[in-house]
Amino acid sequence: ISGAGSAAISCTNLYVKLGARKENIMMFDIDGLITKDRTDLGLEQMQFATDKPKVNLREAFKGTDVFLGLSAGNIVDGAMLKSMNESPIVFAMANPTPEIDYHTAMASREDIIMATGRSDHPNQVNNVLGFPFIFRGAMDVRATKINEEMKLAATYAIAQLAKEPVPEQVNIAYGELKLAFGKDYIIPKPFDPRLISTIPPAVARAAMESGVAKEPITDWEKYEEQLLSRMGSDNKLVRLLLNRARTNPKRIVFAEADNIDVLKAAQIVMEEGIGIPILLGRRDMIEELMEDLGFDQPCMIIDPKSDEEKERKNRYAQEFWKLRHRKGTTEFDAGKTLRQRNYFAAMMVKLGDADALITGVAQSYPISVRPMMEIIGKAPGVDKIATTNLMITARGPLFVSDTSININPDALELAKIAQLTGRTAAMFGISPVIAMTSYANFGSSSHPHATKVAEAVKYLHQYYPDLLVDGEIQTDFALNPELLQSKFPFSKLAGKKVNTLIFPNLESANSTYKMLKELNGIDSIGPIMMGMQKPVHILQLGASVDEIVNMAAVAVIDAQQKEKYASKKE
């Protein structure tokens, strides 16, 4: 250990608590090795004094396992590191210039495990990983002190977190392809959002168990939710979706698995137990990307163009021909069509070889939706399919429909879209409060664009009186309860918090959800396909990894719901 100040003493004390033996420690200050015969030392330094023969820092490196530098820059060279034992741990923490330059250290030997205090190198040891969350946990149980048990709890929590799968937003923040526990990732990144829900509970538990907590926590799940809410955006609904999916994971076909973002999402889905991925695409490309990502869990890979899938492809082609032979498709055309991934994936779901499907990242929406309509089709009793986007806003979840399919729906079609969206909201555990939006408020315009919305509302009020819906209404009135109550107290929405917006046409819905997403950084889940016979969901072109993962969770929940409904019918 190079350095004998408060940082070095505190770190070394922690190492001893974790099991290091004092007789194996050599600590150096500016005057050299701290030995028992020195008379210029304080009590803190003397506890690490050794009776070993005096050596200089260079000599001390020989045959050691760990170097901790909390001293001065450029006092260590590559030759010193080469004299250490196998797989040496080197923490060069002096800032801004470490005891040894990172690149010099890494060039000295291949087996080195290296960390610094700098953000421009892997393994930055940063005190923001610890102190904010230690104090958070201590304050939340009104701890009378911060003791060793609490510090050790934080240490173990940080160490365990480093071994967990890394959220994609952390990879993006640091420009990494796929962070995973190993030589270049031994400690979580400071921007990891999980720190706040991992360390404070560990510290709070340790405070309670060691008897220094004045206000113990009894509901740990509620406490973790409170911690996560401090991050500035409410992702509670997303967490609930992921948890629901994990209760009964389903087989999900990822039709574009040789796209790096799709494969990343599939890896997360598998690692977090959300679903069971089936990867469609070129096998050689998928396997190469999996190796790059460290995706080493066994996973079904299918190449629809490969001769390996000849039997399956022929079977699917025959079934497709039966579906389409009266609509101009020949047997030859069917075989050729089934080489296309979206058709192949849709047939997997149709025939029960998979439970759900995700596609659309690399193709336009119309191209992706066509195979779903030709093969999967509408659910029984549904005469209009539509899509909704679930926006995770600061005011709570907000459904926006129809964002992708119906260009200019008429009054009856708008009513059907509202019904479908209401059912989807209920699937998420949300009681729908629906505003049918327009540029006009309650009959203030006689233009057909406004009157069709009024007709849709009239239809819903007459035939579905239990559905909480009203309009036509301008969006600002719909989203401002006070304004709505003061101007239109007669409305069914008065005094209610609207959580669903049905727009009169595709361009207004699509533009609105994309504007919300880009201007406010709002998370969007969707487009969620509504009214389909099977769980097939088509993403917008260029969807992010997190969006793909969230949609996979929705697909699993959709499959769970359809399975439940089918069993009830039986």
Side-chain angles (χ1 to χ4, degrees):
I1 296 169
S2 176
S6 58
I9 295 295
S10 296
C11 288
T12 311
N13 277 327
L14 185 63
Y15 298 162
V16 171
K17 290 280 185 183
L18 292 165
R21 297 198 295 271
K22 286 187 177 181
E23 61 266 27
N24 288 343
I25 295 169
M26 289 182 287
M27 183 177 284
F28 288 78
D29 66 4
I30 195 169
D31 295 316
L33 182 65
I34 292 179
T35 56
K36 291 181 179 179
D37 59 355
R38 284 180 55 174
T39 59
D40 58 338
L41 301 170
L43 290 175
E44 277 103 1
Q45 287 85 9
M46 283 303 296
Q47 65 178 315
F48 298 112
T50 181
D51 53 9
K52 293 180 180 179
K54 285 189 176 181
V55 292
N56 61 33
L57 186 61
R58 178 175 294 276
E59 294 167 330
F61 266 83
K62 296 175 183 176
T64 56
D65 300 296
V66 179
F67 169 69
L68 172 63
L70 289 159
S71 52
N74 295 325
I75 61 171
V76 176
D77 59 37
M80 296 162 76
L81 300 188
K82 288 178 182 178
S83 69
M84 297 180 74
N85 287 340
E86 183 180 350
S87 299
I89 296 170
V90 177
F91 281 14
M93 307 309 303
N95 248 333
T97 305
E99 284 78 3
I100 180 169
D101 173 70
Y102 174 81
H103 299 292
T104 303
M106 296 304 292
S108 69
R109 53 191 299 169
E110 292 184 355
D111 61 346
I112 189 172
I113 300 168
M114 177 75 175
T116 69
R118 294 180 56 133
S119 61
D120 53 348
H121 301 310
N123 298 325
Q124 181 195 17
V125 179
N126 192 316
N127 58 6
V128 301
L129 290 172
F131 78 83
F133 310 114
I134 292 173
F135 282 106
R136 179 75 270 155
M139 290 189 295
D140 288 341
V141 293
R142 302 298 184 263
T144 56
K145 63 187 293 186
I146 294 176
N147 56 29
E148 293 301 315
E149 290 84 354
M150 294 159 72
K151 287 188 279 186
L152 285 170
T155 301
Y156 283 117
I158 292 170
Q160 181 59 39
L161 187 59
K163 298 175 184 177
E164 300 292 332
V166 179
E168 178 60 14
Q169 65 194 92
V170 179
N171 290 320
I172 293 170
Y174 288 90
E176 298 286 349
L177 179 65
K178 180 68 177 178
L179 289 168
F181 184 68
K183 284 172 54 178
D184 291 332
Y185 179 74
I186 61 172
I187 189 169
K189 296 290 189 180
F191 285 151
D192 194 319
R194 300 169 299 171
L195 290 163
I196 194 169
S197 62
T198 301
I199 302 173
V203 172
R205 285 182 189 274
M208 290 165 55
E209 291 168 2
S210 61
V212 299
K214 295 177 70 176
E215 294 184 14
I217 292 168
T218 55
D219 189 337
W220 291 97
E221 185 175 342
K222 181 180 178 181
Y223 176 53
E224 290 188 22
E225 292 293 341
Q226 290 171 345
L227 290 170
L228 289 165
S229 70
R230 292 177 179 273
M231 297 189 62
S233 61
D234 183 10
N235 286 317
K236 181 178 180 180
L237 182 60
V238 174
R239 295 194 299 276
L240 289 174
L241 289 177
L242 299 178
N243 288 337
R244 276 182 65 186
R246 291 185 187 104
T247 63
N248 186 11
K250 299 297 183 182
R251 299 165 299 170
I252 310 170
V253 183
F254 289 88
E256 302 159 309
D258 47 15
N259 175 290
I260 184 67
D261 286 342
V262 173
L263 194 58
K264 279 185 180 182
Q267 183 178 12
I268 293 168
V269 165
M270 191 167 201
E271 288 176 345
E272 296 194 2
I274 297 165
I276 304 156
I278 300 171
L279 309 177
L280 258 61
R282 283 181 49 188
R283 177 177 290 274
D284 58 341
M285 186 177 292
I286 291 172
E287 289 177 343
E288 184 179 338
L289 289 173
M290 289 178 77
E291 186 174 352
D292 291 342
L293 293 173
F295 189 170
D296 54 5
Q297 292 176 281
C299 201
M300 182 183 288
I301 302 173
I302 297 175
D303 184 350
K305 295 183 179 180
S306 169
D307 290 338
E308 296 175 10
E309 299 298 332
K310 188 174 181 180
E311 185 279 328
R312 189 196 297 263
K313 190 164 51 184
N314 288 340
R315 178 161 54 91
Y316 288 176
Q318 284 297 310
E319 291 296 328
F320 181 66
W321 183 48
K322 289 178 185 177
L323 285 174
R324 305 290 299 177
H325 65 264
R326 289 186 178 274
K327 297 182 179 179
T329 299
T330 66
E331 190 172 4
F332 175 79
D333 290 336
K336 187 177 178 182
T337 299
L338 261 295
R339 292 173 62 85
Q340 298 177 42
R341 298 181 202 180
N342 284 338
Y343 281 93
F344 191 96
M347 286 304 301
M348 289 193 76
V349 177
K350 175 79 173 179
L351 298 180
D353 292 339
D355 301 306
L357 182 158
I358 297 289
T359 190
V361 172
Q363 289 185 317
S364 69
Y365 204 92
I367 291 174
S368 298
V369 80
R370 188 176 299 118
M372 310 308 143
M373 296 305 301
E374 292 180 2
I375 293 173
I376 303 297
K378 294 173 286 195
V382 172
D383 54 13
K384 176 60 62 176
I385 67 164
T387 60
T388 188
N389 276 68
L390 173 53
M391 313 302 293
I392 312 299
T393 73
R395 72 188 295 280
L398 183 68
F399 290 90
V400 177
S401 302
D402 170 13
T403 52
S404 298
I405 292 180
N406 297 285
I407 295 175
N408 188 25
D410 61 26
L412 184 57
E413 288 170 337
L414 273 179
K416 298 294 186 182
I417 291 168
Q419 285 178 272
L420 288 172
T421 309
R423 291 177 196 165
T424 302
M427 184 179 81
F428 284 87
I430 297 170
S431 297
V433 181
I434 305 172
M436 305 289 285
T437 68
S438 172
Y439 66 87
N441 283 317
F442 299 107
S444 62
S445 171
S446 58
H447 192 280
H449 287 180
T451 56
K452 76 169 183 178
V453 179
E455 290 170 17
V457 172
K458 183 179 178 180
Y459 174 89
L460 291 167
H461 284 176
Q462 181 176 352
Y463 294 103
Y464 299 92
D466 293 334
L467 189 64
L468 188 49
V469 57
D470 213 347
E472 73 278 29
I473 188 171
Q474 294 174 353
T475 306
D476 54 347
F477 283 95
L479 297 177
N480 188 324
E482 292 78 17
L483 193 61
L484 178 59
Q485 179 70 47
S486 65
K487 299 297 182 184
F488 307 109
F490 57 84
S491 171
K492 284 191 172 187
L493 303 178
K496 306 292 192 300
K497 185 178 180 180
V498 169
N499 54 31
T500 304
L501 299 176
I502 309 300
F503 284 85
N505 53 46
L506 178 62
E507 60 189 326
S508 56
N510 188 274
S511 298
T512 297
Y513 103 78
K514 289 187 174 180
M515 183 171 65
L516 284 171
K517 179 182 167 185
E518 294 303 322
L519 287 182
N520 298 321
I522 290 173
D523 288 337
S524 170
I525 301 176
I528 301 167
M529 288 196 74
M530 306 181 295
M532 297 295 289
Q533 189 169 13
K534 300 277 187 178
V536 293
H537 294 283
I538 301 167
L539 296 149
Q540 286 288 348
L541 186 68
S544 70
V545 172
D546 284 343
E547 288 171 333
I548 301 169
V549 171
N550 291 341
M551 276 302 298
V554 170
V556 169
I557 294 169
D558 193 1
Q560 292 172 352
Q561 291 291 107
K562 284 180 167 60
E563 182 181 66
K564 186 176 178 181
Y565 179 73
S567 64
K568 280 185 177 179
K569 285 185 70 177
E570 291 173 4

